[in-house]
Amino acid sequence: MRFKDWSLTAWVAGFLAVLISYAGPLVIFIQAAQAGRVSPAELTSWIWAISMGAGISGLLLSWWLRLPIVTAWSAPGTALLLTLFPHVSMPEVVGAYLVAAALVVLLGATGYFEKVVNQIPKGIAAGMMAGILFQFGVQAFRVSGEAPAVVLSMLGAYLLGRRFWPRYAIVLVACTGFAVAWALGSTQLQSLGLSLATPVLTVPRFEAGAILSLAVPLVLVSLTGQYLPGMAVLRLAGYPVPARAVVTGTGIASLLVACFGGISIVLASITAALCTGKDAHPDPDKRYVAGMANGVFYLIGGTFAGTIVQVFAAFPASLVAALAGLALIGAVVSNIRALAEEGEYVEPSVITFLATASGMSLFGLGAAFWGVTLGMLAYWLIPQAGRSGAR
């Protein structure tokens, strides 16, 4: 990297992208850990793993390709975890992570990424993702009875943020929730302190049920919900991003952090927009610095993952639940819109959504697996849902 390419705006863009990730998608990780009764030490390891995986992959890919490559962890995949815990053990989860990562590396290295994505009906994938995220969206309102002042103030901040500062709405929501909780004396900030992360190794266990319920849906949501829109953001910004290098690189990063609790590392889409526009740097050829800065701040966050765990533990659980729900409203909206736009097979897509959102579990297989299975079955059997509707 040439030091003359550095700029304050690029580093600010990289920092904001990390801040938004920690204020929104990370909260889903906290909830998944609570559902799985994960210890603070294991949760710290999780956050260390996803931060290091995203930091190293984004830093190296941005430097190597001279493109603003922003990586992150799979937020929809993390939401999928919440539907499986506590029925799936952590060794089984790690085994599924490794299988998913190996599949992504295979798709990237062979160049089959875009071919596979084009064979997945958009409505089916959108229905599954909307179903996974549905419970998170409703919980933002469900917990209002536990802490009405905190939750309603966060909802107000969300509406104002979407109206006036849409790019930073979730940061505003998080700051508002933290401030109101502190003002009401609902926090335990006195226990905070700097705490370095200590990775916790989990020996994987490969179980068919966990692989079908977690690994397969995880690959599906990663391809359609992360890589595809992430590629679109970069290409619309004028960057000829090589899919093979990015998919393979992030897949390898996923393999490296899986045994420490790190879910799939993927290409970011929402936060990527912060690092690919003029706000990052007027010169498109120098915006790769924002991608590298993003990686650096992830590495710092991972190093002090223990402190991050303390911060979220110091605030009420209802605040964390509301923050996760509000952070995912945009994702729910985009997937419902994608589902509705596929007119030729909207019914199979709705079946996928309902089955996934129901939380059904049969024969040890989770709702996401059954949602895709039943949706694809309907896609092939219902007359108006013919093959012509596939992307």
Side-chain angles (χ1 to χ4, degrees), residues 183-196:
L184 295 175
S186 302
T187 64
Q188 299 176 359
L189 298 178
Q190 67 276 6
S191 62
L192 295 183
L194 286 180
S195 177
L196 298 177

Side-chain angles (χ1 to χ4, degrees), residues 122 126-127 129-134 136-138 141 158-159 162 270 325-341 353:
K122 185 178 179 180
M129 288 186 65
I132 292 171
L133 301 175
F134 175 76
F136 289 91
V138 299
F141 305 93
Y158 176 82
L159 296 176
R162 291 293 299 155
I270 298 174
L326 293 173
L328 288 172
I329 287 179
V332 174
V333 170
S334 63
N335 281 286
I336 290 177
R337 182 179 291 119
L339 183 157
E341 288 175 351
F353 165 72

Side-chain angles (χ1 to χ4, degrees), residues 168-190:
Y168 311 110
I170 297 305
V171 174
L172 178 63
V173 170
C175 292
T176 300
F178 293 153
V180 173
W182 175 78
L184 295 175
S186 302
T187 64
Q188 299 176 359
L189 298 178
Q190 67 276 6

Side-chain angles (χ1 to χ4, degrees), residues 51-145:
S51 299
M52 290 298 176
I56 292 173
S57 59
L59 179 61
L60 293 180
L61 285 170
S62 296
W63 169 76
W64 177 37
L65 299 174
R66 289 296 191 272
L67 299 173
I69 305 297
V70 178
T71 56
W73 57 92
S74 176
T78 309
L80 179 61
L81 264 186
L82 191 58
T83 67
L84 298 175
F85 279 145
H87 305 295
V88 178
S89 68
M90 197 57 208
E92 291 173 333
V93 168
V94 170
Y97 284 172
L98 289 170
V99 171
L103 290 174
V104 170
V105 171
L106 181 64
L107 291 174
T110 59
Y112 276 94
F113 161 71
E114 292 185 351
K115 293 180 181 179
V116 171
V117 169
N118 289 333
Q119 295 303 312
I120 301 172
K122 185 178 179 180
I124 299 295
M128 184 190 71
M129 288 186 65
I132 292 171
L133 301 175
F134 175 76
Q135 293 299 329
F136 289 91
V138 299
Q139 75 181 352
F141 305 93
R142 185 181 293 150
V143 299
S144 59

Side-chain angles (χ1 to χ4, degrees), residues 225-324:
Q226 298 278 175
Y227 287 109
L228 194 60
M231 295 287 183
V233 168
L234 285 164
R235 289 171 179 172
L236 287 173
Y239 297 106
V241 56
R244 178 174 293 186
V246 172
V247 175
T248 304
T250 51
I252 292 173
S254 300
L255 282 172
L256 295 176
V257 301
C259 290
F260 300 100
I263 200 168
S264 296
I265 303 301
V266 294
L267 188 63
S269 54
I270 298 174
T271 53
L274 292 172
C275 299
T276 57
K278 293 181 179 179
D279 289 341
H281 199 287
D283 186 350
D285 292 335
K286 296 181 180 179
R287 292 174 194 163
Y288 74 94
V289 176
M292 295 184 66
N294 179 259
V296 169
F297 286 118
Y298 267 130
L299 294 179
I300 295 173
T303 301
F304 295 98
T307 301
I308 294 175
V309 172
Q310 291 179 21
V311 169
F312 281 101
F315 289 91
S318 55
L319 184 154
V320 176
L323 183 56

